[in-house]
Amino acid sequence: MEQNNSKNLKSALYTLITVFFFWGFIGASNGVFIPFCKAKFGLDQFQSQLIDFAFYGAYYIGALLLFIFSSLSKKDILNGWGFKKGIINGLLISTFGAAMMIWAVTSGNYYFILGALFIVGLGFSLQQTSAQPFAASLGEPHTASNRLNLAGGVNSFGTTIGPIVVSFALFGVVANVNADYIKKFAQNANSLDKMEILYIFVGILFLLSAALFFFSKKVPSGKSDDTFEPAKKAMSTLIIITVLLVIIFAYIFSRYTQPDYITHFITNKEKDFLGLGLTISTLLIVLFALLFANAAAQKKPEGWGAMKYPQLVLGMIGIFTYVGVEVTIQSNLGALLGTKEFGNITGSAIAPYISMYWGSLMIGRWAGAIAVFNPSNKVRKILLIVVPYVAFGVVLAVNSISGQNVGPLYAYAVVVAFQVIGFFLGQDRPARTLMIFGIFGMAAMVIGLLTTGTIATYAFMSGGLFCSILWPSIFALAIAGLGKYTSQGSAFLVMMILGGGIIPLLQGKLSDILGIHQSYFIPVLCFGYLAFYGWRIIGILKKQGIEHEIEVGSAH
């Protein structure tokens, strides 16, 4: 009976990880879609980054609405549905978003496209909120991180092939095309037709996945026994943050993005600094509101719920920063590669570089999933060296099969070695790993800033290697010792995926002012904070007498 139950849990896990593929496929595809829309609609870099803002901002709004509705009804809505139904509902919302995308590209309106992406992201938010704890529940708690790493590896496979598929959908080929080609192609009235076909296909896949979950008897409902813990002050703080962000971005949409307003009332220089000021203000609102909430909760914890824990609030900023840096590196990579200093690489020729960036995350997550197979310590050390290069080979093979010249990417194998070193230095300890990979990522970004050409390109792409396993490390450390507030804390962390919408906007606007290459000092700051959190969290948990959570926290 126990053996059959184990098989059923594995079957449920394999079904579950299909949604992780979709997150990666669509999210990474934005890296190719952004430069195309920039040429198609005549956007500046800041405006093109609104694609990421719409997509990742939806994660925040979705998780926030779920928390608010649960608070008002005084019961956990998601737990009432069950994680399985939550995923199904999320897939159906994303299906509707895909249908809206078909209509949006047919209309040829950029803002309709942003709206459709927002709906797709809204569905992903519900899927993400459901799937993360669901995967953790399908087996023993101490092996949960292995399942999440396995799911993350599938997610990263989606991120690897997503840019290639979308590049083919937009340009009809995955081959080297120059700037004149992409400009001419973008100006074609029918240039979005293939994107319409792509989203028809994506929408069908969403529906099929929902049906797979609905009819699969081996996938349990996924309900937990956790009671819902209200937090009125935390809810009020999050609502205030949201209202302020909505006001700012409503102003951006109604004023800043209107050409007639810009032409008649402000100069391009004033426009740039207006956009920069607005974007910085959104960042400061999130950071100071969270820090204020924790400071207030330390004095009077009633009504703050999980926000009274400093490890969680700093971890929320950590997730915000982590998703932001992961997204902003690749979202601005297309514009960077199109400069003279980086080889004037444009159009579909960008795809293999973005694919390798997201493939870098796959390399790390495959290595992180090794423990699923329970190898001996000696075998594990060997696999930590072998598996990353197997994953590297898969990324090269996928690009090669697509017809792309992968020769310039071979030397990237040297960079992979630094990630392997990081794994050995981290010793499977979340805080230590976070600190080491944060320092490595910061060093790589500095090298990229100080150089150009292949070395700088490799340095910036290596950000994917050093981001690869930071999510489970941050997540584990942030919820360590939360007890009955663990579920609530997890929801707060998912909200902070918002960083993927704000930080790329900030870098995009800085690139309009300083230049795209110089704007990459933003990832330096992001990795710097992640390294700081890895160092600071140790003292916080020791002060609470739960430093042992540092070791067992990787099971989350």
Side-chain angles (χ1 to χ4, degrees):
M1 180 68 71
E2 185 175 342
Q3 186 175 7
N4 289 335
N5 184 54
S6 178
K7 289 182 178 180
N8 288 339
L9 289 177
K10 287 184 178 179
S11 177
L13 177 63
Y14 298 150
T15 303
L16 173 63
I17 61 178
T18 58
V19 297
F20 284 79
F21 174 84
F22 287 131
W23 302 337
F25 181 91
I26 300 298
S29 300
N30 290 344
V32 174
F33 199 35
I34 285 171
F36 172 78
C37 284
K38 183 179 179 181
K40 174 69 178 176
F41 299 105
L43 311 172
D44 62 22
Q45 189 65 12
F46 173 79
Q47 290 169 315
S48 71
Q49 295 302 313
L50 290 174
I51 287 177
D52 276 332
F53 173 74
F55 184 71
Y56 290 100
Y59 278 82
Y60 171 77
I61 295 298
L64 177 62
L65 289 175
L66 196 61
F67 173 64
I68 291 175
F69 291 149
S70 294
S71 296
L72 294 176
S73 62
K74 297 182 179 180
K75 63 179 181 180
D76 192 331
I77 293 176
L78 183 57
N79 191 47
W81 288 345
F83 297 137
K84 177 180 178 179
K85 188 175 180 180
I87 292 172
I88 293 172
N89 290 340
L91 285 166
L92 292 177
I93 293 174
S94 293
T95 301
F96 178 69
M100 292 296 294
M101 177 63 81
I102 296 168
W103 172 75
V105 298
T106 301
S107 68
N109 187 300
Y110 178 57
Y111 298 108
F112 289 167
I113 290 175
L114 292 179
L117 275 175
F118 178 84
I119 296 173
V120 172
L122 207 60
F124 280 14
S125 173
L126 185 53
Q127 295 170 47
Q128 179 93 274
T129 307
S130 303
Q132 294 284 352
F134 199 10
S137 69
L138 296 175
E140 295 297 326
H142 69 277
T143 60
S145 65
N146 303 334
R147 293 188 292 278
L148 288 175
N149 276 321
L150 178 62
V154 174
N155 171 274
S156 295
F157 182 67
T159 64
T160 301
I161 69 172
I164 295 172
V165 173
V166 172
S167 180
F168 183 81
L170 287 175
F171 304 106
V173 293
V174 183
N176 195 4
V177 294
N178 57 34
D180 291 335
Y181 178 90
I182 185 174
K183 185 176 181 180
K184 182 179 179 181
F185 186 87
Q187 290 173 347
N188 187 325
N190 299 318
S191 59
L192 285 170
D193 286 354
K194 290 187 176 180
M195 181 57 71
E196 180 182 347
I197 295 173
L198 174 67
Y199 269 88
I200 290 174
F201 179 69
V202 168
I204 292 173
L205 286 180
F206 285 152
L207 274 178
L208 290 176
S209 294
L212 178 64
F213 273 90
F214 183 80
F215 291 108
S216 178
K217 295 181 179 180
K218 292 184 178 180
V219 179
S221 62
K223 294 186 178 183
S224 67
D225 297 326
D226 292 341
T227 57
F228 181 76
E229 296 292 339
K232 292 183 178 179
K233 292 180 181 178
M235 182 178 70
S236 298
T237 300
L238 291 169
I239 291 175
I240 291 172
I241 291 174
T242 305
V243 170
L244 291 175
L245 293 181
V246 168
I247 291 173
I248 290 173
F249 282 103
Y251 181 81
I252 290 177
F253 273 97
S254 65
R255 299 297 186 184
Y256 173 76
T257 58
Q258 294 298 319
D260 290 340
Y261 177 87
I262 295 171
T263 302
H264 291 96
F265 295 97
I266 59 177
T267 65
N268 286 335
K269 184 176 180 180
E270 290 171 335
K271 176 195 72 173
D272 286 337
F273 282 98
L274 171 62
L276 179 62
L278 291 172
T279 308
I280 290 177
S281 66
T282 61
L283 181 65
L284 294 179
I285 285 170
V286 174
L287 296 181
F288 282 113
L290 291 177
L291 293 175
F292 167 79
N294 181 246
Q298 292 294 309
K299 296 178 180 179
K300 191 175 181 181
E302 291 79 11
W304 285 106
M307 281 193 179
K308 65 184 177 182
Y309 294 95
Q311 64 265 39
L312 174 70
V313 173
L314 294 179
M316 290 171 70
I317 298 174
I319 291 291
F320 182 94
T321 305
Y322 156 71
V323 178
V325 71
E326 177 187 281
V327 174
T328 198
I329 291 174
Q330 69 88 30
S331 292
N332 289 283
L333 191 59
L336 180 73
L337 294 175
T339 63
K340 181 180 178 181
E341 294 78 10
F342 284 80
N344 292 318
I345 303 170
T346 58
S348 62
I350 297 170
Y353 291 92
I354 294 177
S355 177
M356 180 56 76
Y357 171 77
W358 289 112
S360 295
L361 278 93
M362 183 179 78
I363 291 170
R365 288 167 181 170
W366 280 21
I370 289 173
V372 170
F373 307 101
N374 297 316
S376 65
N377 188 48
K378 182 177 180 180
V379 172
R380 175 185 164 278
K381 289 180 179 179
I382 295 173
L383 291 176
L384 278 178
I385 298 173
V386 174
V387 169
Y389 284 100
V390 170
F392 176 62
V394 170
V395 179
L396 291 178
V398 169
N399 282 278
S400 180
I401 291 172
S402 70
Q404 190 68 42
N405 176 23
V406 296
L409 299 177
Y410 287 146
Y412 192 65
V414 176
V415 185
V416 175
F418 286 95
Q419 186 194 55
V420 174
I421 293 172
F423 274 116
F424 279 96
L425 292 176
Q427 299 175 354
D428 286 335
R429 295 169 58 186
R432 185 184 179 94
T433 297
L434 182 57
M435 183 168 56
I436 290 171
F437 275 56
I439 292 172
F440 278 16
M442 187 165 51
M445 296 303 106
V446 170
I447 291 172
L449 281 170
L450 298 178
T451 59
T452 58
T454 301
I455 293 177
T457 300
Y458 280 6
F460 289 136
M461 286 197 305
S462 72
L465 292 172
F466 304 125
C467 280
S468 60
I469 59 169
L470 296 188
W471 173 281
S473 295
I474 299 169
F475 216 89
L477 294 165
I479 64 176
L482 264 59
K484 64 181 181 179
Y485 294 104
T486 298
S487 179
Q488 185 183 105
S490 298
F492 289 164
L493 290 170
V494 171
M495 291 180 197
M496 290 299 102
I497 293 177
L498 174 67
I502 291 181
I503 291 178
L505 272 181
L506 176 59
Q507 186 177 348
K509 178 42 60 185
L510 283 170
S511 75
D512 290 331
I513 298 173
L514 303 175
I516 188 64
H517 189 190
Q518 291 74 13
S519 72
Y520 269 81
F521 80 85
I522 291 296
V524 177
L525 300 179
C526 291
F527 277 116
Y529 176 79
L530 295 172
F532 163 78
Y533 180 61
W535 168 77
R536 182 71 182 91
I537 191 65
I538 297 175
I540 291 174
L541 297 183
K542 282 186 176 181
K543 186 176 180 180
Q544 296 177 14
I546 53 172
E547 64 270 21
H548 64 282
E549 293 283 358
I550 296 175
E551 296 295 336
V552 302
S554 60
H556 291 283

